[in-house]
Amino acid sequence: MQAIQDRVVTPVAKALAPAPAASAAANGGAGVSPNAPLLRPEPTVTPAVQRAFDEALRALRAGRNEDAERGFKALAQSNPELGGPHANLGVIYRQAGKFAESVAALERATKASPEQPLYFNQLGISYRHAGQFAKAREAYEHALSLDANYAAAQLNLGILFDLYLRDSGRALEAYERYAELSGGKDAAVAKWVTDLKNRKPAQGNAPARKEQS
């Protein structure tokens, strides 16, 4: 069976100021996507801090990860109460294979912004890469407790149950809930549902799936 590739998305664009409900996840970029609404605005920041964040964001979108990392590190050090810089650092570290650093940065992001489901979803992905499956489940479920309609976290929870926790029943429930949230338009997940329904217990293996950011 063919492997299913990651759907990676664009960075958080408005992590330092109050923002309207964010758009759905889009394909093709790298970083943290605003695919769930900010349930609580970040603290008010100065124009200089916002400009520094925007500059780091532009670097990340342009693929200049070293420049972006320097910018977000400086902001995280000078404004540790802001979740956005920590979250984007977590994504940069994960892309570089630095999973312990990614987890640490995203844990800081969730502590700074405990009502932001987006950061918990990203933390779940990094926990999964670090092999901490129980913590990944907790992070995804916490994201869903904050936003029950957060499709990406629902999908990632299904993948975790399917491939890592080997709980086909809960994986199927999660995938079907994701299908409801996404309007049933995800053909890949529809195939995964069919695969789960047809898979014999003795088979054990499933096609590769990767998370949605």
Side-chain angles (χ1 to χ4, degrees):
M1 301 181 187
Q2 67 179 21
I4 307 300
Q5 297 303 312
D6 248 329
R7 285 163 242 178
V8 280
V9 290
T10 54
V12 155
K14 297 292 183 183
L16 299 184
S23 61
N27 296 334
V32 184
S33 169
N35 58 346
L38 282 169
L39 300 186
R40 185 180 65 185
E42 293 277 6
T44 302
V45 298
T46 66
V49 170
Q50 185 67 58
R51 284 194 299 271
F53 179 85
D54 292 341
E55 183 176 346
L57 191 67
R58 284 192 293 271
L60 184 56
R61 285 173 164 167
R64 295 185 285 110
N65 283 14
E66 290 184 2
D67 292 339
E69 181 179 345
R70 280 193 293 270
F72 287 130
K73 270 187 177 179
L75 283 166
Q77 290 169 358
S78 62
N79 297 269
E81 75 282 3
L82 300 176
H86 296 299
N88 281 297
L89 279 173
V91 172
I92 290 170
Y93 293 145
R94 188 172 67 232
Q95 292 174 335
K98 299 177 181 179
F99 301 132
E101 292 91 335
S102 177
V103 164
L106 283 157
E107 285 178 341
R108 287 191 286 271
T110 59
K111 288 177 182 177
S113 301
E115 295 183 36
Q116 173 53 282
L118 176 61
Y119 299 165
F120 283 96
N121 180 54
Q122 289 293 331
L123 178 58
I125 296 173
S126 291
Y127 276 142
R128 201 281 296 165
H129 278 278
Q132 300 182 55
F133 303 143
K135 287 187 175 182
R137 175 182 174 179
E138 289 176 2
Y140 294 143
E141 289 179 340
H142 193 84
L144 289 166
S145 75
L146 294 170
D147 181 359
N149 296 320
Y150 190 4
Q154 188 69 62
L155 175 59
N156 292 341
L157 183 61
I159 292 170
L160 186 73
F161 278 131
D162 189 0
L163 298 189
Y164 301 96
L165 300 179
R166 300 297 183 182
D167 189 332
S168 297
R170 290 186 178 180
L172 184 59
E173 290 176 3
Y175 287 154
E176 290 180 333
R177 172 60 177 155
Y178 168 75
E180 292 176 7
L181 294 173
S182 61
K185 297 177 181 179
D186 195 322
V189 175
K191 290 180 181 178
W192 301 350
V193 169
T194 300
D195 173 65
L196 270 176
K197 289 180 176 179
N198 294 334
R199 192 186 309 162
K200 296 179 182 178
Q203 287 179 327
N205 295 326
R209 296 121 160 75
K210 295 185 180 180
E211 300 94 346
Q212 189 171 87
S213 300

